[in-house]
Amino acid sequence: MTATIPQLDLRLATLKTQYAQRTLLPSDCIAQISKRIEQIDRPEIWISRVAQDVLAQRAQELDRLLLAEGEAVFTRLPLFGIPFAVKDNIDVENMATTAGCPAFAYTPTSSAHVVAKLLAAGAILIGKTNLDQFATGLVGTRSPFGAVRNALQPDRVSGGSSSGSAVAVALDLVSFSLGTDTAGSGRVPAGLNDIVGFKPTRGLLSASGMVPACRTLDCISVFARSISNAWAVMQVAAGFDPHDAYSREVPMLPVKTGSYRVAVPKSPEFFGDTQAQRSFEEVLSKLRSLPNIDIREIDFSPFRDAASLLYQGPWVAERLAAVGEFFESHHDAIDPVVAGIIGQGKKFSAVDTFNAHYRLADLKRKAEMILADIDFMIVPTAPTFPSIDDLKEQPVIRNSELGYYTNFVNFFDMAALAIPATQRSDGLPFGITLIGPAGSDHLLADAAQKLTDSIGTNVTSETSVSASPLPFSEATIQIAVVGAHLDGQPLNWQLLECGARLSEATTTSAQYKLHALSGTVPPKPGLERVAHDGKPIALEVWEMPIRHFGKFVANVPSPLAIGTLELSDGRWVKGFLCEPIAIQGATDITHFGGWRAYLDATANARSSGASLTA
């Protein structure tokens, strides 16, 4: 009889709750994961795993921290006890990096920048995962460590090159994993294994400690079961790294709380896969029925033509540069298909490279004009779903088809988020990808979360990402709000659309009065600074990029104004005040101590039929 495979729920919020309640300790979690890995018996997922004694020691250290610090440990270590995996072209200290080629292997003395940040945040590394050799492929079969089979139907491809990382998440062996993405390696495996794949803006996550494929295009990506889990990892992993020449501080576009303008290909290509075509049509039909979605069909040819440059242009020479002298000295150790692709780099001249860059610039400008008034694109993550046997017959053609909707994204400096969308009639998953301009990472995560709720996908997020922008890497300003802009109140969206995050809930000093203004829609209070008879008034302090401050202030209507408020601890911040003329005849609600308390009292009085008195 086959033993029951442990069904450990590895979602971040669930693990955190279990850890907080002491129904699970990190050591328990790791023990169950180790058992599950053995019982599932998918050795091709892994190239190397952390030794059991090292893994146990790490988990026990976290056990002790939890027992000593309690829930406070979650603030200090936001990924406390969360198991993850790393694609084996990303360095982990004292573990071999093979890039899918044993003869290339080396053992780094330090971890990649992103891996170090994740470990410092309390995450637990389980192992390093299989990949298409030298990250060259979208199929997951080009590895001497074995073809990585699809998590749902093992006769189908898993997608690549980040094959093992995606399947490890899909089979619930880890909570999240790191992949890399040059041409779609962080998205195609997500679509084919029914999980989330986040390809951030290039440079948002450091590539230090990563074996490059095309260094000018590469980025580290994140796989997870939910958008909120992927975003939680991004919150930790993102950030400027001065040791990575391609790292950059990326100004983030804020979220949108109203309608979306969405571009889709006018004549999408599916290479004869009618089930994929029907699935995409089904998803678009659901989206078109939503009141807040404006779908516009666009000419996809600039995106298609740019995609073709990746393997038919001189960028293959960049792959040759990444492998270097090893290509000649160890040619027999390289997968024949991979060697054939990389070897093409020899035929391009410097003139060819410049001409290709000119061509790419022309295509990018055309794409920018097409998307000028678009919030993001939606495309199929993969237009078809080949079997492993299909790959054996036509390895290059089938691989090329899988990159139809992915290859152009890094060329055009865009961000992308692959999410599950529906199920094909043959039971295979079908995914879509949201693609936006550089810096649209938060916008895409928030939009994808809202769309999955609307179209009924199987992506369940435990927490909303709307009010959780990435850590700021630019000048910010603090703004105190006391009424309709409070979290959950009718005008809070104006803060969110300016990229703001909630910093703290506190009060003013005791020199203020609060008044319920008459005739405002929605209802608003007015805050007045007084010389005596004032009280502390509850408020929230929000932090926003200073580049959005002017837009926010421009939307503030009379009689409200932005002035400077004193907080209970003596700090002074910008915030809402009221023109004196509006105070005349307004209801003094100072004794309630804040707008929310006043609204609650009003609602209670209304439901009970009592009158609201001071």
Side-chain angles (χ1 to χ4, degrees):
M1 178 181 293
T2 302
T4 301
I5 297 176
Q7 294 298 314
L8 183 65
D9 190 336
L10 295 180
R11 290 175 297 175
L12 271 62
T14 303
L15 285 179
K16 182 177 178 180
T17 298
Q18 291 180 318
Y19 288 154
Q21 296 173 346
R22 307 293 199 279
T23 57
L24 186 77
L25 292 175
S27 57
D28 301 323
C29 177
I30 295 309
Q32 291 188 49
I33 286 174
S34 298
K35 184 177 181 181
R36 182 172 175 80
I37 289 173
E38 298 305 320
Q39 292 183 329
I40 282 180
D41 192 26
R42 287 289 197 97
E44 78 274 12
I45 293 173
W46 308 97
I47 289 181
S48 60
R49 285 170 55 192
V50 176
Q52 284 299 310
D53 59 334
V54 175
L55 200 55
Q57 181 180 358
R58 167 72 167 168
Q60 289 164 9
E61 289 172 354
L62 294 177
D63 288 353
R64 289 191 288 271
L65 284 177
L66 178 63
L67 296 174
E69 299 182 29
E71 293 186 42
V73 75
F74 302 137
T75 301
R76 187 167 63 83
L77 303 175
L79 295 179
F80 177 88
I82 305 300
F84 76 110
V86 171
K87 184 177 180 180
D88 196 27
N89 62 341
I90 302 172
D91 287 348
V92 173
E93 182 180 358
N94 296 327
M95 293 186 73
T97 299
T98 72
C101 182
F104 178 81
Y106 63 91
T107 302
T109 57
S110 60
S111 293
H113 182 81
V114 169
V115 173
K117 292 182 76 171
L118 297 172
L119 292 171
I124 303 176
L125 180 66
I126 302 300
K128 304 192 73 180
T129 55
N130 201 355
L131 68 153
D132 284 314
Q133 193 175 75
F134 295 117
T136 301
L138 291 172
V139 289
T141 62
R142 301 171 179 172
S143 171
F145 297 94
V148 180
R149 295 167 288 169
N150 187 273
L152 305 175
Q153 286 202 21
D155 65 323
R156 300 278 178 156
V157 299
S158 58
S161 60
S162 309
S163 50
S165 289
V167 174
V169 171
L171 291 177
D172 293 319
L173 305 181
V174 289
S175 296
F176 72 91
S177 63
L178 296 183
T180 64
D181 191 302
T182 303
S185 299
R187 292 161 278 157
V188 170
L192 300 187
N193 291 281
D194 210 30
I195 60 173
V196 171
F198 209 130
K199 189 221 78 70
T201 299
R202 284 189 293 110
L204 185 60
L205 270 61
S206 169
S208 291
M210 182 183 83
V211 177
C214 294
R215 191 179 173 202
T216 60
L217 301 177
D218 293 336
C219 62
I220 288 178
S221 64
V222 177
F223 295 106
R225 273 291 193 178
S226 71
I227 296 162
S228 61
N229 281 7
W231 191 246
V233 176
M234 289 287 293
Q235 293 270 354
V236 172
F240 178 73
D241 174 15
H243 301 292
D244 173 14
Y246 287 93
S247 179
R248 53 181 173 163
E249 294 177 342
V250 183
M252 282 288 114
L253 296 175
V255 301
K256 288 192 69 175
T257 57
S259 60
Y260 296 108
R261 296 162 298 186
V262 177
V264 299
K266 185 179 296 181
S267 302
E269 176 62 70
F270 294 96
F271 302 100
D273 191 331
T274 56
Q275 295 197 51
Q277 181 177 358
R278 283 196 295 269
S279 294
F280 190 54
E281 290 170 350
E282 173 191 330
V283 172
L284 290 185
S285 177
K286 290 180 180 179
L287 292 174
R288 286 191 173 100
S289 69
L290 300 177
N292 62 334
I293 302 292
D294 176 14
I295 292 184
R296 307 178 188 182
E297 295 185 345
I298 62 166
D299 175 14
F300 193 69
S301 59
F303 306 92
R304 178 200 64 210
D305 294 347
S308 68
L309 288 173
L310 193 62
Y311 287 102
Q312 298 171 27
W315 278 270
V316 292
E318 194 170 12
R319 293 181 182 270
L320 184 58
V323 177
E325 161 298 308
F326 183 87
F327 184 79
E328 299 296 343
S329 63
H330 293 78
H331 193 274
D332 291 344
I334 302 175
D335 178 274
V337 176
V338 173
I341 294 169
I342 294 176
Q344 293 180 55
K346 295 180 179 181
K347 71 181 184 181
F348 292 100
S349 68
V351 173
D352 294 330
T353 301
F354 279 107
N355 285 332
H357 274 282
Y358 303 149
R359 172 64 173 155
L360 179 60
D362 289 338
L363 292 171
K364 185 178 180 182
R365 180 55 52 83
K366 289 179 181 178
E368 288 170 346
M369 294 171 66
I370 290 171
L371 300 177
D373 61 346
I374 296 295
D375 293 312
F376 52 84
M377 300 173 64
I378 289 182
V379 299
T381 300
T384 185
F385 206 137
S387 68
I388 292 177
D389 287 340
D390 291 335
L391 260 295
K392 293 177 181 177
E393 295 177 8
Q394 295 180 305
V396 176
I397 292 175
R398 296 282 85 84
N399 186 93
S400 177
E401 291 172 353
L402 287 173
Y404 188 84
Y405 294 109
T406 60
N407 286 357
F408 67 88
V409 174
N410 283 335
F411 265 150
F412 286 172
D413 195 15
M414 304 180 85
L417 177 57
I419 59 172
T422 189
Q423 191 177 67
R424 296 163 36 130
S425 58
D426 59 5
L428 292 171
F430 178 81
I432 59 173
T433 298
L434 283 66
I435 304 172
S440 63
D441 306 70
H442 190 204
L443 169 68
L444 295 180
D446 183 53
Q449 198 171 58
K450 291 170 182 172
L451 293 184
T452 55
D453 291 342
S454 299
I455 64 178
T457 72
N458 66 347
V459 180
T460 302
S461 288
E462 307 95 309
T463 56
S464 170
V465 304
S466 292
S468 301
L470 295 178
F472 295 119
S473 59
E474 57 184 305
T476 61
I477 190 168
Q478 291 187 317
I479 302 170
V481 299
V482 296
H485 286 85
L486 293 166
D487 187 26
Q489 293 300 306
L491 297 183
N492 183 251
W493 63 270
Q494 293 181 348
L495 285 167
L496 298 180
E497 289 200 348
C498 285
R501 72 160 73 242
L502 178 61
S503 293
E504 62 179 308
T506 183
T507 67
T508 67
S509 67
Q511 281 71 53
Y512 290 88
K513 284 190 174 184
L514 193 66
H515 306 269
L517 303 179
S518 60
T520 58
V521 179
K524 301 184 183 84
L527 187 67
E528 175 191 22
R529 183 170 175 83
V530 295
H532 52 81
D533 297 331
K535 287 188 175 182
I537 302 298
L539 55 75
E540 292 173 352
V541 178
W542 288 69
E543 184 180 12
M544 75 166 58
I546 202 165
R547 60 191 164 94
H548 294 310
F549 184 59
K551 172 187 173 183
F552 182 77
V553 173
N555 288 326
V556 176
S558 177
L560 299 179
I562 298 296
T564 307
L565 281 63
E566 184 182 21
L567 303 183
S568 57
D569 61 4
R571 285 178 294 153
W572 292 82
V573 298
K574 297 301 178 185
F576 279 87
L577 293 170
C578 188
E579 298 172 5
I581 193 171
I583 302 299
Q584 301 173 18
T587 304
D588 187 342
I589 58 171
T590 305
H591 57 284
F592 288 102
W595 184 242
R596 278 206 181 91
Y598 167 73
L599 292 179
D600 290 343
T602 302
N604 291 336
R606 188 179 296 115
S607 63
S608 65
S611 61
L612 188 65
T613 58

